[in-house]
Each structure stands twice: as structure tokens, then as C-alpha cells.
Amino acid sequence: MRGKRRAPRPAIPWRSPWTPVVCLAGAVAFGALVAVSFLVKEVAVVVDGDRTEVRVVAATVREVLADAGVSVGRGDVVRPAMPESVTDGATIEVRRARPITLTVDGRTTRHLVTATNVGDALAELDLTPTAGQASAPPDDAVPLSGMELSFYTRRKVYVVAGTSRISSRTTARTVREVLKQKGVPLRRGYVVSPPLRSFPADGTIITVTPPRTMPVRPDVLRLDWAALAECESHSDPEAYNPDGPYYGMYGFSMPMWEAVGGMGLPSSWPPEEQTYRAQLLYQQVDGRWRRQWPSCGDSLFG
């Protein structure tokens, strides 16, 4: 075998002049992957209560929301704030702004709220649901497009009908609603102040006066009505006789009172109103007074 030359050995790859370069590039790539893995964060993004988990390498809240495809508009509330940095496991909350056209006791204003239901929207606007009446239930949703909302506060108003003065805590929108709530009947010709369609603000005094559309004849006016009142009730406009029952200065029964346009109880009205209704009653029965005032009717004639 002496004298034979050995065949050349194949080149070893790692002994190639490019080997150091390849190794360095691999090390850099591996290091980059390791570094990126440490930068990736798991963040929860909650938009109006809907929660989404995202994996991001973003450094701030603004960047996380951009990566998650969540846009932020005027009036939206973001917590933490947009410029703040984000750590792994963080939660970002976004509450969308909703336009509200709010009318409180007839006065309209416009607002942006982030509440998703009517009750929370009222609270955000410093209105307590129990302090009044809203046009929508507290659990109703506030759409992202917004809504119109009316709220009537609980106000104290007074109803004056004759000598009766009724106080009421009400959320009524009109004078008519107040009278209906208090059971005050209205008939054609009754004079109501303020007008029935007006808004009853806090402290409003509502007066109700029956009409005096029918004139009293002069011969009826000349009768001694003071003597009749003295005989019937000692001229007490608030008199009450349970036998009928009978009410007021002239001992009205309710059918008698209502037949001449009286409203409510006769005894709740001032003497002038009771006298006017008694005179109408005399005219209506065409002078046949004995059925109305069998014991005292004679006093009309002195």
C-alpha cells in the first residue's frame, strides 16, 4: 500500500468561512424571538361590558386599542388613560358616549353619557329616579345612537276649590293631570287657573271656580237669604248634618248641589258661592221651596 495517496476528505461545513456568520445570525434570531416572547402581553379589553382577551406587544393603552381595532370617539371614557403604559394581565375599559336629549320639567338640555341604561344615565346626570318620574323605565337600554328622555321632578302644588286647599306632591306634567290625580271633577264652564295645559311648577296654586253663567232674577235676589242661612245652619258655611247628609249654610243635599252646577262638597265653598247656588236652586224649582227647605223656607220672606 506504500506509495498510494489518500483521497481528499470532504469539506466540513462548520469549518466553512461562512460558518461564524451563520451561527451569529441564528443566535440573533433566537435572541429576538426570546425577547419578543417577553414583550408579548395578554390584555383584557372591555367595551361597554363586552370583554375580549388580546395578545399584544404594544406599550401603551392607545397602542393596545389600535391593535385591537377599538376606536375612541368624543366623550368616550377610557381607563386607564390613553397615554398610560400597559402591563401583562392588565384590563382596559372603554365606555362609549351616548347622546341624551334631556327634558326636566319642560327645560331641555343635551348631554353625553356613558351609561348603558336609563337608571344609570339619570344618576350620571345627577337625577335620582325616586325623586321624580322618567319617560322610560330604569332598566331600558340607552342605545349607542342616543335617545330623548323626559323627567318630571316631584313638586308640591296646591289646589284651591272653594274653601278647600289641597296640597299635593306630584310629578304631573299638566294642571289637568294634577286635578285628575286629586279627584277634582271638571265641568263645562269651570274656570281653572293656571290653564289646564300649563306646567305646574313647584309651589303652583291651582284655583278651580264653577261658572256663573246663569243670572239670578231680581225678585230672587231680594229674598232674605241671610235669614235662611241663619235658620238652616247658623250661617256656618262648613255646617254638616249627617241626617241627609246636608252640607253648608243652606243645608244642601248632594243631588240639590249638583243639580245647580255645584262641584265637590257644598261646605267646601265660600258663602258667596253657596248663596249663588241656593238662589239658582230656588229659580230651578220655580219658587216651590218647601221641598228644599221645609223647616226654614219661610224665613226667606221676612
Side-chain angles (χ1 to χ4, degrees), residues 43-52 61 64-65 70-72 75-82 86 90-96 114-116:
V43 179
V45 178
V46 182
V47 180
D48 288 339
D50 294 332
R51 185 184 184 93
T52 304
V61 171
V64 171
L65 294 179
V70 177
S71 60
V72 178
D76 292 351
V77 174
V78 180
R79 295 190 181 92
M82 298 283 275
V86 176
T91 297
I92 300 172
E93 182 181 12
V94 179
R95 297 182 67 86
R96 300 289 195 194
T114 59
T116 57

Side-chain angles (χ1 to χ4, degrees), residues 116-162:
T116 57
N117 62 61
V118 169
D120 290 343
L122 291 175
E124 195 171 326
L125 295 168
D126 295 327
L127 292 171
T128 305
T130 56
Q133 183 176 0
S135 57
D139 294 336
D140 272 15
V142 178
L144 196 56
S145 59
M147 68 184 300
E148 294 183 356
L149 188 62
S150 297
F151 188 83
Y152 291 92
T153 59
R154 203 171 302 280
R155 290 151 278 121
K156 190 169 187 178
V157 300
Y158 304 89
V159 178
V160 177

Side-chain angles (χ1 to χ4, degrees), residues 152-237:
Y152 291 92
T153 59
R154 203 171 302 280
R155 290 151 278 121
K156 190 169 187 178
V157 300
Y158 304 89
V159 178
V160 177
T163 58
S164 296
R165 184 182 176 93
I166 307 167
S167 63
S168 174
R169 300 288 293 183
T170 182
T171 59
R173 294 170 292 179
T174 64
V175 168
R176 185 187 296 275
E177 286 186 16
V178 174
L179 297 178
K180 185 176 181 180
Q181 289 174 358
K182 303 311 294 182
V184 178
L186 293 177
R187 296 175 184 167
R188 179 176 296 180
Y190 278 30
V191 179
V192 179
S193 179
L196 290 172
R197 293 183 179 180
S198 62
F199 175 76
D202 188 53
T204 296
I205 299 175
I206 302 169
T207 59
V208 181
T209 307
R212 293 190 177 186
T213 56
M214 186 177 295
V216 179
R217 298 194 312 264
D219 62 302
V220 176
L221 289 173
R222 287 193 294 268
L223 298 176
D224 196 344
W225 294 99
L228 176 61
E230 179 63 27
C231 178
E232 284 284 340
S233 65
H234 300 292
S235 301
D236 181 5

